[in-house]
Every structure is written in structure tokens, then in C-alpha cells.
């Protein structure tokens, strides 16, 4: 197992294996996203309280989950890169930041569009919304710090440290709706007892979540591949690869 | 793991524990300010100053909504205590009896809450209207699962 990880973590092997996986993963992402949207927008029944408006949930909730998940992956990869000095881990961490920032932005925008008709306000400064906004700033901070250094390794370490420090915000966002009174409602799916969502609505939500996760993997692989090509442009195998294409 | 790797791991762990403790203490210190709204019970116990703007949250008591043009008056309860709210303006679509809402405003001298903004809070339950009706018919179910079919 460790042998496999080390092999996969070598830039050349990573490039080869990811190149084979990508077309499959991308097709699966597209397929699941279409199924999820079809089930969510056309098959699922309207909500007893919110009517049709609740359907924005099928974009909003997976985006918000991904914003937390990607941050955790980014901080974890940065820590691994820092402790074991694995090049690829740093590359994964730094390339996760813009993707996570996009998910966070999407969650905030769709939440705002949902908030106006339901709550009566585009934005409120409650604990959940504020901590999610801080998450966006953390992502932007990591990206800015990474871009601020000439030397790639210094940049990776500085931005990685900010990513690790900021991970404290992730549980705060998740538990904000339980620790404090917020306008945002409490958790639906992750409650310990049965999730309080009808199965016909839960299925499209979970399909969309899997699709969003795969989308993250696909974009991450694509970005990482380009960075590997850039970093290793003077090595023989990259020259061979570029000649072939 | 080599000794240097162990050392680096230790540094990362110490940094994270330190940040965690700092964040916990900060949040505990600002606990009160992080509440988006207070409950009618907190108002009744006189915790809040008059003539200051704050938000109160609770459920709209059934049968207390009185409308007069766009002026609306209703009672807000946290099931232990309730407070009367007066509001002049357009209410969100979800405003109805039994609904959780958050009102922003001031207490007047007679203890009535004069709201300048009313926001609706929706719950974390999602189900089709038919299921909600069926649940509402089953009277032995707890109140919070009873819906308000459109």
C-alpha cells in the first residue's frame, strides 16, 4: 500500500494514471449531475412549507458541504506536504483553494437568492452566514499568499500554514446553527436520528453531492496535471509527452 | 517516520491545538454577542435594556394575529413566555400562525415590541404537502412535525 502511494505520488506516475482516469471521471460527473438535476427539479415534489423555492437546495447544500470538504482536504494536504515534504501534496493543496473558493461563493450566492423569498432578507449577520463568509476570505487569503511569493516552495509553505490555521473555522461553521441562535435553520441530513427530509428529496440531494465531489476531483486532477507539466517541463518524460501530443 | 518528520508533525499539532484553544476562548467570551436573536423569556427577565435595538425570535402564537391595513400585531412565544409584537410593513411569505420568526426592533414603555423588520425562519424539515397533511392528522405526533399545508 505504502509502495503504491509513493509510486502514485511521483509526478510522472500521477500524470500517467490521472490521464487515464480523467475521461471516465468527467463523464460520470456529467451523468450524475444531469440525473441529480432531473430528479431534483422535475421529479421531487414541492415542499410543504416552501413550495417550489426549496429546489435551490439541490445546488446550495452540496456547494456548502463542498466548501467545507475542500477546505479540510486542502488543510490536510498542506499538513502532509509540510510534514513529509511531498511535492504532490502541496500541489493538491494549492490547487484546491480556487475550487473551494468557487464552491463557497456559489453557496453564498444561492443562499442569498434563497434567503430573500423565504426569510425576507438577502443577507443577515448570523453566525452561520458570517462564518461561511470568513471561509471565503480564508480561501482568498490562501490564494493571495500563494501568489505573493516568487519562490514556489516558500509560497506553498506560507499559504499552507494559513490553510492549516484556518481549519479551525470548519467546525465553527458546521456547529454554528447548534451553538447559537441563528436565522439559518439547523442541520437536516447529518442529524443523529433519521434525517428529517423526505426520501424523494434526499435522493437527488445525495446524487448532486456525489456529482459535486466528482467535479472537484476532476477539476483538481486537471489543474494538478498542468502544474506537474509546468514544474517538470525540463525532464525527459515531459518532453517525450509533449512531442507525442 | 524520521525524527525530523515527527518534529514537524508535532509543530503542526501544537499550532492547531493552540489555535483551537484561542478560538474556543474567543467564542466563549463573545457568546452573548453571537446570538442572532434573544427569546421572550430573556426579555421578561429584564436582561435587555429598553430604548435599544435588538432582535427577538420565537413562534407566532395561533389566533393572536390582528391585521389593520399593513399594520399587524401578534404574540411571539418561546413556549415559556410570550411578548406582543407590532409591525408596520410587508411580511415575508412564510409568516403565518405557528411559524418561527425573528423581529428586529425596540421595546416601548408598555413592554410591547415595536418591530422595524420581520424575518421568517423556516425549519429543517422537508417533505411533500401530502406527507405533511398526513402527519398533521396523526394527532399523537409532536407539535413540531405538524405542517402548514399551502
Amino acid at each position: 500500500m505504502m509502495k503504491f502511494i509513493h509510486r502514485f505520488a511521483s509526478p510522472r506516475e500521477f500524470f500517467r494514471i490521472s490521464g487515464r482516469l480523467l475521461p471516465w471521471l468527467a463523464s460520470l460527473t456529467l451523468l450524475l449531475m444531469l440525473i441529480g438535476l432531473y430528479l431534483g427539479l422535475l421529479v421531487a415534489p414541492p415542499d410543504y412549507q416552501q413550495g417550489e423555492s426549496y429546489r435551490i437546495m439541490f445546488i446550495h447544500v452540496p456547494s456548502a458541504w463542498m466548501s467545507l470538504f475542500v477546505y479540510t482536504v486542502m488543510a490536510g494536504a498542506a499538513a502532509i506536504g509540510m510534514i513529509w515534504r511531498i511535492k504532490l501534496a502541496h500541489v493538491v493543496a494549492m490547487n484546491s483553494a480556487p475550487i473551494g473558493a468557487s464552491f463557497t461563493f456559489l453557496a453564498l450566492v444561492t443562499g442569498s437568492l434563497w434567503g430573500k423569498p423565504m426569510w425576507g432578507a438577502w443577507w443577515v449577520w448570523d453566525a452561520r452566514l458570517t462564518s461561511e463568509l470568513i471561509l471565503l476570505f480564508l480561501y482568498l487569503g490562501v490564494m493571495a499568499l500563494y501568489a505573493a511569493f516568487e519562490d514556489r516552495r516558500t509560497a506553498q509553505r506560507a499559504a499552507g500554514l494559513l490553510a492549516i490555521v484556518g481549519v479551525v473555522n470548519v467546525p465553527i461553521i458546521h456547529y454554528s446553527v447548534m451553538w447559537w441562535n441563528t436565522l439559518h435553520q439547523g442541520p437536516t441530513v447529518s442529524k443523529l436520528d433519521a434525517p428529517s427530509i423526505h426520501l424523494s428529496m434526499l435522493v437527488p440531494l445525495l446524487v448532486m453531492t456525489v456529482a459535486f465531489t466528482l467535479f472537484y476531483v476532476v477539476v483538481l486532477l486537471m489543474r494538478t496535471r498542468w502544474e506537474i507539466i509546468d514544474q517538470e517541463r525540463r525532464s525527459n518524460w515531459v518532453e517525450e509527452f509533449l512531442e507525442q501530443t | 517516520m524520521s525524527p525530523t518528520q515527527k518534529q514537524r508533525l508535532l509543530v503542526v499539532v501544537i499550532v492547531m491545538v493552540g489555535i483551537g484553544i484561542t478560538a474556543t476562548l474567543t467564542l466563549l467570551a463573545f457568546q452573548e454577542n453571537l446570538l442572532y436573536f434573544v427569546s421572550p423569556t430573556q426579555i421578561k427577565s429584564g436582561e435587555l435594556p429598553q430604548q435599544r435595538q435588538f432582535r427577538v425570535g420565537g413562534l407566532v402564537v395561533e389566533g393572536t394575529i390582528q391585521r389593520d391595513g399593513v399594520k399587524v400585531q401578534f404574540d411571539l412565544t418561546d413556549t415559556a413566555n410570550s411578548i406582543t409584537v407590532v409591525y408596520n410593513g410587508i411580511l415575508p411569505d412564510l409568516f403565518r400562525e405557528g411559524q418561527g420568526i425573528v423581529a428586529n426592533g425596540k421595546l416601548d414603555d408598555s413592554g410591547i415590541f415595536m418591530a422595524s423588520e420581520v424575518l421568517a425562519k423556516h425549519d429543517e424539515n422537508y417533505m411533500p404537502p401530502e406527507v405533511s397533511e398526513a402527519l398533521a392528522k396523526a394527532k399523537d405526533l409532536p407539535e413540531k412535525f405538524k405542517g402548514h399545508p399551502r
Side-chain angles (χ1 to χ4, degrees):
Chain A
M1 186 66 196
M2 276 316 279
K3 220 175 175 182
F4 173 77
I5 289 172
H6 270 280
R7 235 185 81 185
F8 191 67
S10 98
R12 186 182 176 174
E13 277 304 300
F14 176 86
F15 194 83
R16 198 180 62 82
I17 298 170
S18 63
R20 278 207 205 147
L21 282 174
L22 258 181
W24 296 99
L25 288 175
S27 324
L28 190 62
T29 307
L30 192 68
L31 185 72
L32 282 178
M33 220 169 255
L34 289 174
I35 294 175
L37 284 176
Y38 173 74
L39 290 178
L41 299 184
L42 298 168
V43 177
D47 180 51
Y48 78 112
Q49 204 175 46
Q50 305 184 45
E52 304 288 346
S53 324
Y54 89 98
R55 291 184 198 279
I56 200 167
M57 168 174 90
F58 298 120
I59 303 290
H60 174 75
V61 174
S63 311
W65 283 344
M66 288 311 291
S67 71
L68 297 180
F69 174 70
V70 174
Y71 197 95
T72 314
V73 171
M74 177 176 78
I80 289 170
M82 228 174 270
I83 296 164
W84 285 278
R85 296 282 144 93
I86 297 172
K87 250 196 220 169
L88 189 65
H90 277 305
V91 176
V92 164
M94 289 308 120
N95 281 306
S96 290
I99 313 173
S102 312
F103 280 128
T104 314
F105 183 72
L106 196 61
L108 288 169
V109 169
T110 51
S112 183
L113 292 173
W114 194 2
K116 185 61 187 173
M118 287 305 127
W119 296 342
W122 296 108
W123 181 265
V124 292
W125 293 101
D126 81 350
R128 172 53 76 77
L129 278 68
T130 309
S131 55
E132 182 77 10
L133 185 66
I134 292 171
L135 186 75
L136 179 66
F137 293 151
L138 277 171
Y139 273 123
L140 297 179
V142 169
M143 287 160 66
L145 203 54
Y146 182 57
F149 290 90
E150 281 291 317
D151 178 51
R152 202 195 307 252
R153 288 181 61 196
T154 319
Q156 284 169 340
R157 256 188 261 170
L161 194 64
L162 177 61
I164 293 170
V165 166
V167 87
V168 70
N169 194 26
V170 170
I172 295 177
I173 296 175
H174 181 76
Y175 289 107
S176 56
V177 288
M178 292 180 242
W179 289 343
W180 304 291
N181 295 338
T182 52
L183 189 61
H184 195 286
Q185 76 285 1
T188 297
V189 180
S190 66
K191 279 200 295 203
L192 285 177
D193 49 341
S196 43
I197 176 168
H198 195 259
L199 196 65
S200 58
M201 300 163 173
L202 180 63
V203 170
L205 187 61
L206 294 181
V207 172
M208 285 305 281
T209 305
V210 175
F212 270 47
T213 312
L214 280 172
F215 178 80
Y216 162 58
V217 173
V218 167
V219 178
L220 182 65
L221 283 182
M222 285 167 70
R223 294 182 62 100
T224 308
R225 281 164 64 80
W226 286 117
E227 183 145 350
I228 286 173
I229 286 279
D230 184 38
Q231 277 184 20
E232 313 266 319
R233 61 182 172 274
R234 278 179 204 89
S235 68
N236 290 330
W237 70 269
V238 170
E239 275 171 18
E240 274 167 34
F241 170 78
L242 291 176
E243 271 164 28
Q244 277 169 23
T245 49
Chain B
M1 268 206 315
S2 72
T4 37
Q5 285 172 349
K6 265 188 193 148
Q7 206 180 352
R8 289 196 288 248
L9 178 66
L10 194 68
V11 170
V12 169
V13 169
I14 288 171
V15 166
M16 286 188 65
V17 169
I19 298 282
I21 292 170
T22 315
T24 312
L25 292 177
T26 313
L27 292 177
L28 283 177
F30 290 109
Q31 184 76 5
E32 288 291 301
N33 300 343
L34 286 166
L35 296 180
Y36 189 66
F37 54 85
V38 298
S39 65
T41 302
Q42 279 170 293
I43 295 175
K44 280 276 148 71
S45 64
E47 278 178 40
L48 289 141
Q50 292 194 340
Q51 307 309 324
R52 271 235 354 239
Q53 187 111 355
F54 60 88
R55 294 188 199 85
V56 57
L59 302 169
V60 179
V61 182
E62 301 202 9
T64 60
I65 301 178
Q66 292 167 32
R67 288 172 198 270
D68 178 17
V70 288
K71 193 177 165 196
V72 60
Q73 181 184 331
F74 55 90
D75 286 2
L76 205 58
T77 181
D78 57 2
T79 67
N81 282 292
S82 65
I83 183 172
T84 303
V85 178
V86 173
Y87 175 62
N88 235 323
I90 299 159
L91 291 160
D93 285 355
L94 280 182
F95 182 89
R96 53 177 80 109
E97 289 180 347
Q99 185 73 36
I101 65 129
V102 175
N104 187 4
K106 282 178 189 171
L107 274 181
D108 76 354
D109 296 335
S110 53
I112 291 174
F113 192 80
M114 308 300 283
S116 54
E117 184 188 32
V118 171
L119 300 175
K121 197 168 147 61
H122 66 77
D123 60 23
E124 69 277 20
N125 302 307
Y126 301 91
M127 57 188 139
E130 309 86 68
V131 176
S132 160
E133 276 163 38
L135 284 178
K137 272 180 202 155
K139 289 213 164 135
D140 53 336
L141 274 159
E143 190 66 35
K144 68 167 192 155
F145 289 116
K146 288 183 189 169
H148 310 270
R150 296 200 142 184

